[in-house]
Amino acid sequence: MRNEDICRIAQALKEIPEHSLELKEYPGPNRESGRLARTLSVSADGKGRVSVYQVYPGIRLSLLCFLSEQAAFRHPASPAVLEVGHCRAGRVGWNMKNGTSVYLGSGDLSCHSAVCCADSVMTYPMKYYEGISVSMNLETLADRLPGVLSDTVIDIRKLREAYCEPQKSVFISTCPETEGIFLPLYDLPEALRLPYFQLKIQELLLFLGRYVPDQKAVTKYHSEQTELIRQIHDQLTKDLSRRFTIEELSRQYLINTSSLKEVFKAVYGLPIASYMKEYRIREAMRLLRETDESISSVAALVGYETQGKFTKAFRDVAQVLPSEYRKQCRQASR
C-alpha cells in the first residue's frame, strides 16, 4: 500500500477545500499564454490541483494532483495535437473514443492524439492520482523544433503517424528511460521548473522519435467491462462486514471468473483479495485516526471476525500494530 503517496498528495492539497479544484496557468518564457481558459475545462468530484506551464510555443506541460474518484477534461479535438501522460502515483483510466478503456499504473506512459480524449472523464480507482500531462502541437513543431533539437533530424510526420492516427493510442510500460525523463519534474522548486521542463521536453521528443510502439504493452478492455468492474467494486466496499466469493460475483454480474479477476486487476492494480485486504486496512487506519472505537470494534467494522486476524493483517499492510499506529497519529496531532 502506497500510504506515503496518499500522505504526500494530501499534504500538497491541504489548503484546497473539498469539492473544489485549483487551476493555475503559467505563461512561457516570452510571457506567452496557453489561453487555457478558452481551451480546457476541468471538474472533479473530490479536490485537486492542475498547474499548467507553457513550456515552448505549441507545447504545454501540466502537473496533476487529485484526491478524487474522477475528473472531466474537455479540450479541442485536434488530430495534430499529441497528448502524452505519465502516472507517478495511484492509477488512472479513461474511456477512449473507440469504446475501449485503458488503465495506467505508476510509471506507465500514454500517447494519443487529442481526438481520443477531447471530452473524457478520467477515473482514479485508488481515489488519488499524481501525474504529468504534456500536450504538443505537431503542426507548430513542424515549423521549428525547440532548443538544441533545431539542429537535429526529428521527423514530425513519422511522430504523427506513430502516435496520432485516428482511434490509435500507444501505451508504454514503466521503464528506466521514461522514468528518467519524468520523475525529476515532480518535486522541483518553482524557480527551476520551467528550465527543467524545457530540457526534459526535448529529451521526450528524442525518445518518442526513436521508440517503436508496442501495442501489447498495455491491454485494452471494453468500456462496458470496466464499468461492470466498478459496480462490483462498489458492492465489495459498501459493507465491509460482508465478504463475497469470486463465484458469487461471477453469477450475480454474469461475467466469467477469469475475466472478472483479469479486468479487476487491470482497473485497480491488484487481485481482488489483495485489494480488499488493503482497502479494509486503509479504512481501519482512518477509523483509528478519527474515532475512539476500540481496536476490536474497528476490526469488526472492517470485516474481521477476530482481533487477532485483524492485527496480523494490519501489521502485514501497515508494517505497524494497530495500537502503535493510533498512538503515533495522536502524538503527531499534538
Side-chain angles (χ1 to χ4, degrees):
M1 180 170 60
R2 299 304 302 273
N3 193 50
E4 63 272 22
D5 290 332
I6 300 174
C7 291
R8 183 183 66 251
I9 294 170
Q11 178 67 20
L13 300 178
K14 66 179 182 179
E15 303 298 333
I16 298 178
E18 290 294 330
H19 308 296
S20 61
L21 186 139
E22 180 182 87
L23 182 59
K24 287 187 176 181
E25 184 180 15
Y26 299 83
N30 298 321
R31 309 309 295 173
E32 175 192 10
S33 169
R35 300 183 298 278
L36 178 66
R38 292 194 290 275
T39 62
L40 171 68
S41 67
V42 187
S43 62
D45 64 343
K47 64 178 178 177
R49 175 182 291 121
V50 179
S51 302
V52 186
Y53 293 80
Q54 193 70 30
V55 182
Y56 289 112
I59 300 180
R60 193 169 65 199
L61 183 149
S62 302
L63 297 171
L64 310 173
C65 192
F66 286 94
L67 285 175
S68 176
E69 291 191 75
Q70 64 180 32
F73 290 79
R74 294 179 176 84
H75 54 72
S78 172
V81 173
L82 171 59
E83 299 283 345
V84 180
H86 176 262
C87 173
R88 182 192 192 186
R91 291 185 70 77
V92 58
W94 59 96
N95 294 336
M96 294 296 182
K97 294 295 184 181
N98 59 6
T100 62
S101 296
V102 178
Y103 286 81
L104 305 180
S106 178
D108 292 338
L109 209 66
S110 65
C111 307
H112 50 261
S113 79
V115 172
C116 292
C117 59
D119 189 1
S120 62
V121 175
M122 300 183 75
T123 60
Y124 309 122
M126 307 302 290
K127 299 185 181 180
Y128 68 92
Y129 175 69
E130 185 179 19
I132 285 174
S133 175
V134 178
S135 176
M136 298 187 284
N137 189 314
L138 298 184
E139 290 180 346
T140 301
L141 293 181
D143 295 331
R144 180 177 176 80
L145 288 166
V148 298
L149 299 186
S150 59
D151 297 324
T152 65
V153 179
I154 293 182
D155 193 328
I156 297 298
R157 179 183 59 82
K158 288 185 177 180
L159 277 181
R160 187 164 179 171
E161 290 175 355
Y163 302 104
C164 289
E165 288 184 0
Q167 307 300 324
K168 184 174 184 178
S169 51
V170 175
F171 299 90
I172 304 171
S173 296
T174 180
C175 65
E177 193 163 5
T178 55
E179 292 294 83
I181 294 171
F182 285 95
L183 284 184
L185 303 181
Y186 284 96
D187 300 314
L188 292 168
E190 188 63 51
L192 295 180
R193 285 185 177 180
L194 189 57
Y196 262 95
F197 292 168
Q198 291 174 331
L199 287 172
K200 291 298 184 178
I201 287 295
Q202 294 179 67
E203 191 176 347
L204 175 61
L205 282 166
L206 287 170
F207 170 78
L208 294 176
R210 63 182 179 79
Y211 179 76
V212 179
D214 177 8
Q215 288 301 311
K216 296 180 181 179
V218 174
T219 304
K220 302 173 186 178
Y221 298 93
H222 292 295
S223 300
E224 293 85 355
Q225 287 179 299
T226 58
E227 177 57 35
L228 192 65
I229 292 300
R230 285 196 288 271
Q231 293 176 27
I232 292 172
H233 172 271
D234 289 345
Q235 178 170 321
L236 288 169
T237 57
K238 183 177 181 180
D239 181 0
L240 294 180
S241 67
R242 295 192 61 189
R243 293 176 182 263
F244 300 89
T245 67
I246 298 292
E247 290 71 21
E248 286 176 319
L249 295 170
S250 175
R251 290 193 297 269
Q252 180 181 347
Y253 287 92
L254 304 179
I255 179 174
N256 66 62
T257 56
S258 59
S259 294
L260 171 55
K261 291 187 284 188
E262 179 185 349
V263 183
F264 190 98
K265 185 176 180 180
V267 174
Y268 292 97
L270 290 170
I272 294 177
S274 300
Y275 177 85
M276 287 307 300
K277 180 178 180 179
E278 290 202 359
Y279 189 95
R280 292 174 194 277
I281 299 307
R282 284 203 305 271
E283 179 62 13
M285 294 169 77
R286 184 189 68 80
L287 291 169
L288 289 169
R289 288 194 310 270
E290 299 178 5
T291 75
D292 293 321
E293 294 281 356
S294 68
I295 291 175
S296 60
S297 294
V298 169
L301 287 169
V302 298
Y304 284 90
E305 297 174 354
T306 69
Q307 185 173 329
K309 289 182 179 180
F310 168 69
T311 298
K312 183 181 183 303
F314 194 97
R315 185 167 51 190
D316 288 344
V317 173
Q319 305 300 307
V320 65
L321 293 171
S323 55
E324 185 61 26
Y325 177 79
R326 171 172 271 172
K327 181 179 177 182
Q328 291 174 357
C329 291
R330 289 180 175 176
Q331 287 176 343
S333 64
R334 292 175 182 170

